[in-house]
Amino acid sequence: MELEIAIEAPWPDTADWEALAERAAAALAGVAPELANPRLSASLLFSDDAEVHELNREWRGKDKPTNVLSFPMLEREDLLALAPDGPPELLGDIALALETCALEAADKGVPLEHHAAHLIIHGLLHLAGHDHVHSDAEAAAMEALEIKALAQMGIADPYGDRDPLTGSPTGN
């Protein structure tokens, strides 16, 4: 998958955000094969709370910022049926909000880079048609993919209760 990355807010210079996003997408493609299709592209915006607040209000009717927004362009069935040969296909758009992401990372006691990688993976899974709202089973499946992809990047389970190789609950 090709990522079109724009950094429009003053994200700290503690990380190479573009390289982090590329690593996250590659790790996810290793656990979600439908995202390894070479025809796919997605746009990723590293933004701030003000911009994401506006997007959230305009497109979702929610008058507040959030950590990540995903705007899918393909239905899951179309993604799964997409042949590897042919013209490029836009999977969708993702936007990250700096202040909300930084606050959440601090609250969790994890580096901003790790939390941002998690949210990029989370957003890409939403673009691929995964969800965590409608059922516990869907949420567990999505979390398992996140955990596996993050483990490939050397990032700990953000939920703290899953086996990094299988994504299954550890029972702790």
Side-chain angles (χ1 to χ4, degrees), residues 2 5 7 15 17 35 38 58 63 91 95 102 106 108 112 136 138 143 151 156-157 172:
E2 181 177 333
I5 301 168
I7 302 173
W17 300 106
L35 293 174
E58 181 178 341
D63 194 16
L91 184 62
K108 294 173 183 277
L112 177 57
D136 289 343
E138 286 181 3
E143 289 173 8
D157 171 6
N172 294 341

Side-chain angles (χ1 to χ4, degrees), residues 14-168:
T14 56
D16 179 340
W17 300 106
E18 291 184 27
L20 179 78
E22 295 288 350
R23 284 183 50 228
L28 183 58
V31 300
E34 69 273 21
L35 293 174
N37 191 315
R39 293 176 58 191
L40 292 175
S41 68
S43 69
L44 173 57
L45 174 64
F46 286 89
S47 192
D48 58 21
D49 276 16
E51 175 76 13
V52 171
H53 184 163
E54 181 61 34
L55 290 168
N56 206 19
R57 180 177 39 236
E58 181 178 341
W59 294 101
R60 298 179 66 226
K62 297 187 178 194
D63 194 16
K64 63 181 182 177
T66 189
N67 53 13
V68 61
L69 288 174
S70 300
F71 301 98
M73 303 291 181
L74 287 177
E75 293 293 327
R76 179 141 179 90
E77 298 77 29
D78 295 332
L79 171 63
L80 294 174
L82 191 65
D85 295 321
E89 287 285 341
L90 180 60
L91 184 62
D93 304 316
I94 300 170
L96 295 176
L98 172 59
E99 298 88 345
T100 298
C101 292
L103 181 62
E104 290 174 350
D107 287 347
K108 294 173 183 277
V110 300
L112 177 57
E113 295 82 1
H114 290 190
H115 191 52
H118 178 207
L119 294 173
I120 292 165
I121 288 168
H122 185 87
L124 288 169
L125 285 170
H126 275 306
L127 295 185
H130 291 274
D131 203 356
H132 53 85
V133 175
H134 301 298
S135 78
D136 289 343
E138 286 181 3
M142 187 170 174
E143 289 173 8
L145 290 170
E146 292 170 1
I147 292 162
K148 288 179 193 176
L150 289 167
Q152 288 189 6
M153 297 177 69
I155 298 174
D157 171 6
Y159 303 102
D161 64 350
R162 304 293 174 120
D163 180 282
L165 298 177
T166 65
S168 299

